[in-house]
Amino acid sequence: MTNNTSLFRGVRSSKFRHVYGSPSRREELYDNIPITRNAHDSNFCAANPKFVAIVTEVAGGGAFVVLPINKTGRLDLNTSKVTGHRGPVLDVKWNPFNDNIIASCSDDCTIKLWYIPDSGLSCNLNEWLIELRGHRRRVGYIEWHPTAENVIASSGFDYMVMLWDAGTGQILNTIDCHPDIVHSLAFNRDGTRLATTCKDKKIRSIDPRSGLVVSEGICHEGSRSCKVIYLDNERLLTTGFSTYSDRQIAIWNHTDLSEPLHRVNIDSSSGILFPYYDYDTRMVYLAGKGDGNIRYYEIVDESPYIHFLNQFISGCPQKGFGMMLKRGCSVSRCEIMRFYKLHTTRNVCEPISMIVPRKSDQYQHDLYPDTAAPVPALSAQEWFNGISKPPVLMSMKTGVSVKTHKPQAFVSNEATRNDTNYRMKFAFLSKETVPDYRPLDMLPEIEKIQKTQVNQNTRFQQIQQKLNNSLVGKFTNMTDGDEECNNMKENSNYNDNLKNEYQMKKAFTRQCEELNMLRKQLAHRDRRIQDLEDLVSTLQSQLKVQRLQ
C-alpha cells in the first residue's frame, strides 16, 4: 500500500498569499493620453507620490506629459507637456530624493533633467535644468543611484554605460565592456554594484566606480531582450527566453554568474517580461508587454529562492508600467504596491493597487517595515571616492527618517522608549494614597458643587475664547501704524493663529529649492546666450575674411 501522505507537500504559509489586484474606477483613470507608439523596450511611465509622467506621441520631436497624481479623468488635448527633446523620448525616471526633478533620455543622444513645480505645468516646458551629453548614439535607458545624490547611470546604443554627476554635468566614469546593445541595467541596494544584460546574451556584474567586470555569464539562450534587477546586495533576478522561445526567470549570485541558482519556465508567450521588485515585502512582480496579467512571487533565502503567489488577470493588454514608490502607497487600504498601467489599445493610464486583505483598518506593522526615505545617504563625490552607505530609511507610519547606519543608537532609543513606558505604567505605585474622611451623606452635595464650578469655568473659557477671536478679527483689519492695533497685537494670542514651525520650515525649504532651480535655469540660459553670441562673432569674422579674399 502506497503512503499518499508522503506525496502531499502542503501549502506554504505566507502573509502575501491572498494579495489581489484592485483596478481603478472609471473616474480614477488618466484618459485621453496620446501614449507613444515607439517599439522601444521601456516602461514609458514613471510615478512618485506627487506626479505621474507618461511618454507621449508628438510630431517633430519627443515629449512626455507630467500630471499631478490626483488629476485624474479625461485629459485636455492642449495639456502642457515637456517638449525639450529633438527626438522621441525613450525612458523617464524620477529623482528618488526630490519628487520635483525628473530625468529623461532620448533619441537625440542626450539626457535632460527637468524641474516640475508642485502645481504641475502651466505651459509647455522646453527649458531644462541641465543637459548631459556624451553618448554618440541614442540613449535607451537611465537609472538613478539608490543612495548617492545626483548620480545617474545611462546606457546608449553606442554600447557605452556612463555614470554622471547630474549636479555638475560631469561624467564620473565610462564603462566600455559591452560588445553590443545593453538591454537593461540595475543598481543593487547600496549602489556598489551595477548589473547589465546585453544583446550578446550575457549578464555582467560591474563595479561602477572602477568599471571592472566582476563576473559575467550567459543569461538566457534566447535571442530576445533580457531584463535584470537586484533582489538585494548579492542576488539578481533576470527574465528572458529559452532556446525554444519559452519565457524564463532565473535567480543568480552576482559573484558567480556562470550558472543560475534557480531557473523557472513561465509560458510560451512572445512579450518581453519586465520585473519589478519591492525590497520591503520581498515580492517580485512580472508584467509582459502585450499581456493582460501581472504575476507576483515571493523571494526567500532558501532554495528554490522564489515562490509563485498569484496573478492579477485583466482583459486589456499593457504597453508599459510605472511603479509607485512605497512611501506613496496608502497604508489605510493595506496597499503594498501600486502600478500605473499604459493600455495598448486605448489612450488610458490605469492605476492598479496590490492589496493585502485585512479586516482591521489600523496600521499594519508587518506589512510596512521601514522603507527608503527621500534623503540621500551621501553625495556624488563621496560615493565616487569609495564611500558606501545603505539607504536612509523612514517609517511608513510617522514619516520620520531612521538612520540605519547607526543601529546602536536606534537600539538605545528603543530601550529608552520601553523604559519610559514602564515607568509611566507603574507610576501610580510610587504615589502616596490620600484617604477621604468626608461623610458619606455629604458626598452627593459636594460633587454637585464641584460639577457646577467646572461648568462655570468651562463657560468662562468659552466666552474668553470668543472675545480673543473677535479681537483678532478686529485688529487684522487695522493698519500696522494704528496705536490701538499695536497694543492689541502685543496683548493678544495673535501668533497662535500662524503656521506652526514645521510648516514654515517646509515652506521655506520648498521656496529655497524653487529659487535654486530658477537660478540654474537662468545660468543655463545665460550660457546659451553666450554660446550664441560667440557663434555670431565667429560667423562675422569668417564673413569678413571671405570678403577680404
Side-chain angles (χ1 to χ4, degrees):
M1 183 176 178
T2 305
N3 187 6
N4 294 329
T5 57
S6 62
L7 301 177
F8 180 70
R9 297 182 180 181
V11 178
R12 193 182 67 88
S13 63
S14 172
K15 58 187 172 185
F16 303 112
R17 173 166 293 280
H18 301 289
V19 171
Y20 66 93
S22 175
S24 300
R25 299 188 298 269
R26 185 177 181 84
E27 61 271 14
E28 296 175 344
L29 304 178
Y30 302 88
D31 201 356
N32 198 31
I33 299 175
I35 301 172
T36 180
R37 301 186 183 278
N38 197 311
H40 181 61
D41 294 330
S42 178
N43 289 309
F44 298 122
C45 182
N48 69 14
K50 286 186 179 180
F51 305 101
V52 56
I54 304 168
V55 180
T56 58
E57 194 77 20
V58 175
F64 58 97
V65 62
V66 178
L67 301 173
I69 204 72
N70 296 323
K71 189 180 179 181
T72 57
R74 188 172 181 81
L75 191 68
D76 187 5
L77 290 175
N78 298 321
T79 299
S80 302
K81 301 179 179 65
V82 180
T83 57
H85 283 288
R86 292 177 296 169
V89 177
L90 301 181
D91 198 8
V92 290
K93 290 285 169 49
W94 288 102
N95 188 333
F97 309 122
N98 191 332
D99 291 340
N100 296 89
I101 294 180
I102 187 171
S104 61
C105 62
S106 170
D107 207 41
D108 60 6
C109 308
T110 65
I111 304 163
K112 290 182 170 68
L113 269 67
W114 314 86
Y115 177 78
I116 311 297
D118 287 338
S119 57
L121 298 177
S122 57
C123 60
N124 284 348
L125 179 62
N126 52 21
E127 291 291 335
W128 51 86
L129 290 177
I130 196 166
E131 184 180 58
L132 307 178
R133 285 184 173 271
H135 288 281
R136 297 190 297 270
R137 297 182 65 186
R138 56 179 174 165
V139 186
Y141 305 98
I142 52 177
E143 197 70 38
W144 289 91
H145 195 279
T147 60
E149 188 176 20
N150 293 330
V151 176
I152 299 179
S154 64
S155 66
F157 282 67
D158 54 0
Y159 313 158
M160 298 286 187
V161 174
M162 294 186 178
L163 277 299
W164 306 83
D165 183 353
T168 61
Q170 298 178 349
I171 299 177
L172 296 176
N173 193 15
T174 300
I175 301 172
D176 185 12
C177 63
H178 300 90
D180 214 323
I181 298 171
V182 177
H183 284 154
S184 68
L185 66 163
F187 283 104
N188 64 347
R189 183 64 162 164
D190 58 6
T192 55
R193 289 284 185 89
L194 181 68
T196 62
T197 56
C198 183
K199 196 175 180 180
D200 65 352
K201 303 180 183 180
K202 285 189 177 181
I203 177 176
R204 293 173 174 86
S205 179
I206 305 170
D207 184 349
R209 285 175 281 215
S210 64
L212 299 176
V213 178
V214 180
S215 180
E216 66 177 15
I218 299 296
C219 182
H220 295 276
E221 296 288 346
S223 59
R224 303 202 62 187
S225 176
C226 300
K227 301 295 179 182
V228 62
I229 56 172
Y230 258 99
L231 300 179
D232 44 42
N233 280 330
E234 295 182 356
R235 287 184 299 173
L236 295 159
L237 182 141
T238 58
T239 62
F241 294 83
S242 69
T243 310
Y244 303 102
S245 297
D246 293 332
R247 293 198 292 192
Q248 296 178 329
I249 56 176
I251 309 293
W252 309 78
N253 189 321
H254 74 167
T255 58
D256 182 12
L257 297 176
S258 58
E259 287 293 333
L261 299 175
H262 186 66
R263 197 191 303 266
V264 180
N265 286 345
I266 303 297
D267 55 24
S268 300
S269 297
S270 58
I272 296 173
L273 279 174
F274 285 84
Y276 307 90
Y277 184 60
D278 182 5
Y279 285 100
D280 302 331
T281 59
R282 303 185 72 185
M283 289 178 62
V284 171
Y285 302 85
L286 300 181
K289 274 203 171 183
D291 295 353
N293 59 343
I294 304 174
R295 297 177 176 88
Y296 37 99
Y297 300 76
E298 188 172 10
I299 302 297
V300 295
D301 295 328
E302 302 82 17
S303 181
Y305 305 104
I306 185 168
H307 294 277
F308 175 75
L309 292 174
N310 209 333
Q311 62 178 333
F312 166 76
I313 300 176
S314 169
C316 300
Q318 58 236 10
K319 184 176 182 62
F321 271 94
M323 179 178 173
M324 173 61 75
L325 300 175
K326 180 54 70 72
R327 55 190 172 86
C329 295
S330 173
V331 296
S332 59
R333 298 176 56 198
C334 294
E335 182 185 48
I336 59 173
M337 187 50 62
R338 190 190 311 153
F339 293 99
Y340 289 82
K341 172 182 174 180
L342 304 183
H343 287 234
T344 303
T345 57
R346 298 187 297 161
N347 291 330
V348 169
C349 176
E350 177 187 11
I352 299 175
S353 299
M354 311 305 294
I355 297 175
V356 178
R358 294 283 174 92
K359 292 183 179 180
S360 174
D361 58 354
Q362 300 297 319
Y363 180 78
Q364 306 293 319
H365 292 272
D366 59 329
L367 299 182
Y368 301 105
D370 292 340
T371 189
V375 179
L378 66 168
S379 66
Q381 200 58 42
E382 289 174 342
W383 174 78
F384 190 67
N385 290 336
I387 302 175
S388 299
K389 290 183 181 179
V392 178
L393 303 183
M394 61 175 283
S395 169
M396 286 287 289
K397 183 177 182 180
T398 62
V400 178
S401 298
V402 179
K403 293 184 179 180
T404 56
H405 55 278
K406 292 184 179 179
Q408 291 84 3
F410 179 76
V411 172
S412 62
N413 291 340
E414 185 71 24
T416 304
R417 187 159 54 251
N418 292 335
D419 185 53
T420 304
N421 291 338
Y422 277 106
R423 286 204 306 269
M424 294 175 62
K425 185 175 181 180
F426 299 105
F428 70 95
L429 294 177
S430 61
K431 290 184 179 179
E432 182 181 359
T433 304
V434 180
D436 190 357
Y437 297 106
R438 292 176 296 179
L440 293 177
D441 54 350
M442 294 290 294
L443 284 179
E445 301 218 352
I446 293 174
E447 291 178 356
K448 184 177 180 181
I449 293 172
Q450 291 177 348
K451 289 181 180 179
T452 304
Q453 292 176 351
V454 171
N455 292 335
Q456 289 177 350
N457 292 335
T458 304
R459 182 61 179 165
F460 175 75
Q461 291 174 358
Q462 292 175 353
I463 295 173
Q464 189 176 19
Q465 184 66 30
K466 289 182 179 179
L467 180 61
N468 289 337
N469 292 337
S470 63
L471 290 175
V472 170
K474 183 178 179 181
F475 69 74
T476 50
N477 296 324
M478 297 181 181
T479 61
D480 291 336
D482 195 344
E483 183 178 357
E484 183 182 358
C485 175
N486 293 332
N487 293 333
M488 292 172 67
K489 285 183 179 180
E490 292 175 358
N491 298 323
S492 64
N493 204 9
Y494 177 74
N495 290 330
D496 290 341
N497 294 325
L498 298 176
K499 293 181 179 179
N500 58 37
E501 184 180 359
Y502 173 76
Q503 291 174 331
M504 294 180 68
K505 285 183 179 179
K506 190 174 181 181
F508 177 74
T509 303
R510 185 169 61 251
Q511 293 292 335
C512 289
E513 288 181 356
E514 293 182 358
L515 183 60
N516 290 331
M517 295 305 166
L518 291 174
R519 285 176 179 170
K520 289 184 180 180
Q521 289 177 352
L522 288 175
H524 176 70
R525 182 174 296 178
D526 292 340
R527 287 197 301 269
R528 292 185 65 191
I529 292 173
Q530 185 64 36
D531 292 340
L532 291 174
E533 289 178 351
D534 295 341
L535 181 61
V536 169
S537 61
T538 304
L539 292 175
Q540 287 177 350
S541 61
Q542 292 177 357
L543 185 61
K544 288 180 180 180
V545 172
Q546 290 178 359
R547 285 178 179 177
L548 292 174
Q549 292 177 354

